[in-house]
Amino acid sequence: MSAARGGLSALPVLPGEVVLEAARGVRHRGAGGSVRGTLLCTNVRVAFVPGAQSPSFSPFLQSDYSVALRCIRTLVAASSFTKPTVLTATSTLSFIPEELAVFCRDFRLLRFHFPENGLGLQAFRVANAIAQAWETATWPGDSGSHVDATMGDDEDEEEGSPPTLLFESLQDWERELQRLGAVGWRVSAVNERFDMAPSLPRYLWVPSALLDHDLKRTFAHFQERRVARLCWHHPNGSDLLRAAGFHAASEPGSEDIRCLEVLLGAGCRPCVLADTAELPSPPDIQLAHLRLRALCLPGAAADEKWLSALEGTRWLEHIRACLRKAVEVASLLAGRRCSVVLQEPSDRDLSCLLASLVQLLADPHARSLRGFQSLVQREWVAAGHPFPQRLGLRRDSPREESPVFLLFLDCTWQLLRQFPAAFGFTEAYLLALHDSAFLPYCSTFLFSCQRQRGRGGVQQPRTQTYTPVSSRWDPPGSTVCRLPPVWAWGLRYSRQQRARFRNPAWDPGPVGTPDAVDPQNTGTPSSTWSGSSSGAVLALSKGSLTPQPFPWRSGRPPPRLLRWAPSLETLSDRGGDPIPPPPRGLLLPCAAGPSVRLWRRCYLRGLPEAQHGRLAPCPALLLEELALLQERLRAWQQDGAHAEPASSPLAPSR
């Protein structure tokens, strides 16, 4: 097909990608104006190649004009003579479409217009082809596809920058444990064959005093056998652990209880159990996200009660709840030497979110670009967050959809907005990661756990760290997953686009964990617990610590509340009392109503009229917006030059 060959000449093609239909002379209408080009439908994506390539067009796999088939949420065909029709594989298109609107899962809206110049048959064919391909699309990971990462240009590598750890090898876990300086902890390979807990990673951080033989006793006492394990260590001696809920039917013996006490740290220091009951549930997150999506559709923003409707979605309320809980846990870790155990029944959703937010607040290394990528790999990918189900990438489990990871990215953006100089990455980076969650070109979000990624086998790549070298991703000895990780940015973004990922105002300082010694920090290792001894078990709820018996032990401690982690709103009501400064390296965001805002550059991308004056929060994006305005001006000038003389009297009214 000549049209297909002409369009694909400027478009990188994936192995196994086949062009199904193509139409030339199509106009793409967006915030950058109207652009003429070729619309292509393949078995992987819908791609648009501008005729005269505009400044916003990128000859990489990711483009503002293209969308993966699995990223499409709704497909609508419109005509001047009929009502808009939602297209599906079983629907019959009974008219020639004049416009095709593609509503994407990442909140983008792509609009393609077919002029009346003989494109009627092509428009009909390409619209039906997209509907058919969208319903039958498969992920490249399902068929073992391979993407050559050398298709992109060279990756920018900072001198001395640590690589992104993928946490699939023993060396990665040992390297990160050494960076944390977690004395008394070791890397255990007890789950190397995934026979102890299929959804947990191969390697776990466990107490050095607990042998693997004793560690095996503890798995059966947690739901889904997701045992408690270390996920972060504070230099003052505090430890952050995460675990699934205690198994209600388990009856451990005395030896099992001893192993559990060692595992939770309750034998030598206070153990604080922090559950996720105060956080929104996955169904609540899904409902709020659907309401937010409906509110960001064209036409909805014109409602005079739009701000009230925004609060009614409860999306911002969920963000506030997550930030408040993260502040409580991070303050507790920085202020007292203890073990905080994050508990969730499944340990695969909100524990991922909360553990990541706590580390963003307390660990400056996690706020660097490479550190943030390693954080996502460890607390989400390796920890077994079910990305395909939660992101709706698999149609066989629609009831399990809940964008918990996208909620985490929104929380991260809130922190970035309140502390712009504390992060090594920018809003452009978070947007790129948000959109990459729906792409079929990367392996990071295609699997639910390491066992699924490795097909249950033991053989894995001998090198699991990703260091960009000429944008190559070639894991030696790997025969399982040949798709690159999402961190191979050079595959999808140009050098100029990737330059916007890094924050020029960031002051990294010493990259590492917060200072262990600080004269202003009241939470140094010498801090003591008033009324609590080592080995005590407490529950953290709404900033209050409530003593409780150790699980599976009889007896009830005297009721007593230890107020430790008040919210910032409570601190502001102290009258004339000075608010104590936070420990160095610790971020304390404000979660009050006006401080949590809508992420407009993400959610309002389908509404160009709502983006005026909001596209340039930094000088780099100001240049980008200027280029878009210049492109729009050129497009208008070309339209005026090609306009027919009969239509010229109507020009002033446009």
Side-chain angles (χ1 to χ4, degrees):
M1 179 184 303
S2 60
R5 288 194 296 269
L8 285 176
S9 61
L11 190 72
V13 184
L14 295 170
E17 185 175 14
V18 179
V19 177
L20 305 177
E21 286 292 343
R24 277 184 155 176
V26 180
R27 283 196 174 275
H28 173 273
R29 294 180 173 179
S34 178
V35 181
R36 185 185 297 270
T38 302
L39 179 62
L40 299 156
C41 173
T42 75
N43 59 332
V44 177
R45 54 181 164 164
V46 176
F48 180 80
V49 180
Q53 292 181 7
S54 61
S56 59
F57 175 75
S58 174
F60 297 87
L61 291 180
Q62 183 106 342
S63 171
D64 293 337
Y65 301 109
S66 302
V67 57
L69 292 175
R70 282 295 183 90
C71 187
I72 298 176
R73 178 172 289 274
T74 309
L75 190 64
V76 179
S79 174
S80 302
F81 306 99
T82 60
K83 295 181 179 180
T85 302
V86 177
L87 299 181
T88 63
T90 58
S91 63
T92 302
L93 189 59
S94 59
F95 59 91
I96 301 297
E98 298 178 4
E99 187 175 20
L100 190 64
V102 182
F103 295 86
C104 308
R105 292 180 179 270
D106 56 12
F107 284 83
R108 286 186 300 157
L109 172 58
L110 305 181
R111 310 179 82 162
F112 303 104
H113 179 70
F114 304 97
E116 298 179 0
N117 57 350
L119 283 182
L121 184 58
Q122 295 185 45
F124 184 83
R125 288 179 175 176
V126 75
N128 281 311
I130 294 175
Q132 294 287 339
W134 170 42
E135 293 286 345
T136 59
T138 59
W139 286 105
D142 297 339
S143 56
S145 300
H146 170 67
V147 175
D148 184 8
T150 60
M151 296 167 60
D153 67 353
D154 293 342
E155 180 88 13
D156 295 327
E157 180 71 8
E158 288 185 347
E159 184 177 358
S161 175
T164 297
L165 303 180
L166 301 187
F167 292 97
E168 294 178 350
S169 68
L170 180 65
Q171 292 76 15
D172 288 355
W173 291 92
E174 291 178 340
R175 180 174 182 173
E176 181 67 7
L177 189 64
Q178 183 180 7
R179 183 192 71 82
L180 293 175
V183 180
W185 296 86
R186 66 180 179 89
V187 181
S188 172
V190 68
N191 196 44
E192 191 171 16
R193 296 180 179 272
F194 304 107
D195 52 348
M196 298 305 300
S199 62
L200 283 180
R202 296 175 179 274
Y203 306 102
L204 308 173
W205 288 334
V206 299
S208 301
L210 197 62
L211 301 178
D212 284 352
H213 174 74
D214 296 328
L215 179 62
K216 292 180 179 179
R217 293 175 172 269
T218 63
F219 282 86
H221 304 300
F222 294 88
Q223 297 184 27
E224 299 185 22
R225 301 179 64 86
R226 293 181 63 89
V227 72
R229 69 272 182 202
L230 178 72
C231 61
W232 187 67
H233 173 80
H234 195 283
N236 69 1
S238 296
D239 295 318
L240 180 65
L241 293 82
R242 53 181 295 186
F246 297 122
H247 205 294
S250 65
E251 297 181 358
S254 57
E255 185 64 20
D256 291 356
I257 292 180
R258 182 192 67 82
C259 296
L260 287 168
E261 288 180 337
V262 174
L263 181 64
L264 298 177
C268 59
R269 67 183 68 179
C271 174
V272 179
L273 302 179
D275 59 32
T276 59
E278 304 168 30
L279 302 182
S281 64
D284 293 337
I285 297 174
Q286 171 66 2
L287 179 60
H289 195 258
L290 290 177
R291 290 174 176 173
L292 178 65
R293 182 181 300 278
L295 193 63
C296 296
L297 292 176
D303 189 352
E304 59 181 7
K305 298 182 179 180
W306 190 84
L307 293 178
S308 299
L310 175 62
E311 286 296 330
T313 64
R314 302 191 66 184
W315 181 258
L316 299 182
E317 179 182 339
H318 295 339
I319 294 176
R320 297 185 190 104
C322 295
L323 292 179
R324 289 192 187 99
K325 190 68 174 182
V327 167
E328 291 179 0
V329 176
S331 301
L332 185 61
L333 289 169
R336 293 292 188 271
R337 177 184 290 179
C338 61
S339 293
V340 178
V341 183
L342 305 179
Q343 274 199 301
E344 182 190 12
S346 65
D347 183 39
R348 302 182 70 176
D349 291 303
L350 297 174
S351 287
C352 302
L353 184 149
L354 190 55
S356 301
L357 284 182
V358 169
Q359 294 177 62
L360 282 178
L361 295 178
D363 190 353
H365 174 72
R367 301 193 288 267
S368 66
L369 192 145
R370 303 292 184 198
F372 182 79
Q373 295 179 166
S374 298
L375 175 68
V376 173
Q377 279 289 148
R378 185 178 72 251
E379 299 300 339
W380 293 85
V381 181
H385 178 67
F387 284 105
Q389 291 81 8
R390 292 304 189 218
L391 293 175
L393 306 180
R394 306 281 183 179
R395 291 195 176 95
D396 55 353
S397 55
R399 294 185 178 181
E400 299 181 16
E401 184 175 354
S402 179
V404 183
F405 181 68
L406 303 186
L407 179 64
F408 163 68
L409 294 182
D410 199 329
C411 293
T412 304
W413 177 82
Q414 304 289 340
L415 298 177
L416 177 62
R417 193 188 61 81
Q418 294 191 31
F419 305 96
F423 290 83
F425 49 87
T426 62
E427 181 185 25
Y429 171 81
L430 290 178
L431 275 174
L433 184 56
H434 178 279
D435 297 347
S436 299
F438 301 98
L439 291 182
Y441 320 132
C442 308
S443 62
T444 305
F445 305 118
L446 295 184
F447 305 96
S448 298
C449 58
Q450 284 189 353
R451 181 177 184 270
Q452 186 184 92
R453 183 183 307 273
R455 306 294 204 280
V458 180
Q459 298 299 325
Q460 285 288 318
R462 293 190 294 271
T463 302
Q464 273 78 20
T465 57
Y466 173 67
T467 304
V469 180
S470 299
S471 294
R472 299 186 65 90
W473 169 251
D474 187 19
S478 175
T479 59
V480 177
C481 181
R482 296 178 294 174
L483 293 173
V486 70
W487 320 120
W489 298 112
L491 177 65
R492 308 185 307 282
Y493 292 91
S494 66
R495 184 183 297 272
Q496 292 75 16
Q497 290 173 317
R498 297 197 307 272
R500 303 190 188 110
F501 290 176
R502 303 186 182 278
N503 184 7
W506 177 48
D507 182 16
V511 178
T513 51
D515 296 338
V517 179
D518 185 356
Q520 293 182 339
N521 185 359
T522 59
T524 57
S526 60
S527 299
T528 58
W529 288 80
S530 59
S532 298
S533 59
S534 62
V537 179
L538 306 100
L540 175 64
S541 177
K542 297 182 180 180
S544 298
L545 294 173
T546 307
Q548 68 175 32
F550 186 78
W552 305 290
R553 285 194 184 276
S554 59
R556 176 176 297 180
R560 181 171 180 174
L561 294 180
L562 301 177
R563 190 70 183 177
W564 161 244
S567 63
L568 294 183
E569 291 83 348
T570 305
L571 287 175
S572 63
D573 296 335
R574 295 166 59 101
D577 297 340
I579 300 177
R584 290 182 57 185
L586 177 64
L587 303 181
L588 293 180
C590 182
S595 299
V596 176
R597 301 181 182 178
L598 179 69
W599 190 4
R600 289 180 173 269
R601 282 182 61 83
C602 179
Y603 304 131
L604 298 183
R605 284 181 288 179
L607 303 174
E609 65 277 5
Q611 291 287 4
H612 294 312
R614 302 184 183 276
L615 288 178
C618 66
L621 292 179
L622 181 61
L623 294 176
E624 178 184 354
E625 184 173 357
L626 180 60
L628 292 176
L629 292 175
Q630 291 174 344
E631 176 190 352
R632 180 182 300 179
L633 179 60
R634 285 193 298 268
W636 283 346
Q637 291 173 346
Q638 293 175 2
D639 290 344
H642 293 86
E644 298 181 3
S647 61
S648 58
L650 299 179
S653 63
R654 291 177 59 183

